[in-house]
């Protein structure tokens, strides 16, 4: 591209209002959430989204939102408290 990595990072942040590492973490978390909503376990969702393991996903989620993935899933109403299954709006999508 003819520019330094540092300059590219500055341009990225200038145009998107977010540094590249933060954007990448956000995209990985988003992929993990989509996998959980589709019925994946937290471990499978973590691996599918590019995290080393579910602990890495949990640390990142807690750092960004103050909640573990399990707490976030429950807060979003995707997990039925009694059965432990994940619920989509309008119907179940499988176990977590």
């Amino acid at each position: 591209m003819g520019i330094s990595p540092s300059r590219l990072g500055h341009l990225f942040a200038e145009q998107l209002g977010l540094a590249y590492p933060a954007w990448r973490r956000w995209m990985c978390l988003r992929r993990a959430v989509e996998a959980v909503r589709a019925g994946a376990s937290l471990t499978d969702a973590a691996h599918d989204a590019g995290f080393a393991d579910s602990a890495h996903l949990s640390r990142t989620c807690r750092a960004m939102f103050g909640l573990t993935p399990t707490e976030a899933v429950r807060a979003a109403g995707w997990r039925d408290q009694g059965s432990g299954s994940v619920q989509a709006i309008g119907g179940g999508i499988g176990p977590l």
Side-chain angles (χ1 to χ4, degrees):
M1 292 183 69
I3 60 175
S4 70
S6 175
R7 181 67 185 139
L8 183 59
H10 284 99
L11 289 171
F12 187 96
E14 183 181 297
Q15 293 297 312
L16 296 177
L18 187 66
Y20 177 74
W23 174 83
R24 184 175 162 131
R25 276 191 305 275
W26 179 252
M27 290 295 102
C28 289
L29 280 171
R30 185 173 171 199
R31 273 195 307 268
V33 166
E34 289 169 359
V36 168
R37 288 199 71 190
S41 68
L42 288 177
T43 299
D44 288 340
H47 290 150
D48 291 345
F51 292 97
D53 53 28
S54 61
H56 183 202
L57 169 61
S58 292
R59 285 190 306 274
T60 302
C61 190
R62 184 177 286 278
M64 288 188 76
F65 303 118
L67 299 169
T68 66
T70 300
E71 292 167 339
V73 165
R74 286 187 179 136
W78 298 339
R79 176 178 279 179
D80 178 28
Q81 295 290 340
S83 69
S85 66
V86 176
Q87 300 291 318
I89 297 172
I93 59 172
L96 178 63

